Amino acid sequence: MKWEENFLLCSLAALCILTILEDSEGAAVPVDTKGEEEEGLNKQVFVAETDASNFFKRRTRRSPKSRAEMIAENSQRRAADERRKEYHEEQLYEWKSYVEEEQDEQYERSHEKSQSWRQWHYGGRYPPYLYNRYGY
């Protein structure tokens, strides 16, 4: 009996929500927006037939590139090479600084260990070398 009441209550709530949402406006674009906007898009996307045929006849696959095309491609290639070079230099600089920092830390750790070892084993028994010379 309890599950029948729960099912009936959930069904009633779902029905109420669906009727409320049916009346509200959704985020869909209205269908009747055809007109000048679509014609403007067609003008931008599509080219006249004569221009399209001239586009493909202008340069075939085996014909040499024009001087302007060569210059443009070379400048793009040079710019890409320069960006790649700068990127790799930056990566190398970061790696070198990281390695230097790691070596410094390693040196400090080993120096601290050797100092603590000296203090533990020779703590105050022998003075430093300069003051421990025999005077002959």
Side-chain angles (χ1 to χ4, degrees), residues 23-120:
D23 295 335
S24 66
E25 291 184 19
V29 178
V31 179
D32 59 353
T33 58
K34 294 181 182 176
E36 294 180 14
E37 295 176 7
E38 189 171 307
E39 290 176 11
L41 290 176
N42 285 344
K43 287 180 183 175
Q44 291 175 359
V45 173
F46 296 107
V47 181
E49 188 174 337
T50 57
D51 293 338
S53 64
N54 287 339
F55 175 77
F56 289 112
K57 287 179 184 176
R58 192 177 318 152
R59 187 169 75 81
T60 61
R61 184 176 292 194
R62 295 186 179 197
S63 66
K65 296 179 183 176
S66 69
R67 183 167 174 80
E69 284 178 316
M70 297 279 286
I71 291 172
E73 285 182 8
N74 286 337
S75 64
Q76 286 180 346
R77 197 174 297 126
R78 266 189 257 113
D81 289 344
E82 185 66 27
R83 286 191 302 269
R84 192 179 306 113
K85 178 183 171 187
E86 289 174 1
Y87 171 76
H88 287 300
E89 285 177 353
E90 181 68 25
Q91 293 295 317
L92 181 66
Y93 174 74
E94 287 178 8
W95 180 76
K96 282 183 176 180
S97 62
Y98 169 76
V99 167
E100 185 179 346
E101 193 173 312
E102 283 293 317
Q103 287 175 346
D104 290 345
E105 289 178 8
Q106 182 67 32
Y107 174 75
E108 288 176 14
R109 284 194 295 265
S110 64
H111 186 68
E112 287 172 2
K113 284 181 182 178
S114 62
Q115 288 290 68
S116 64
W117 188 87
R118 282 189 198 115
Q119 285 179 352
W120 173 259

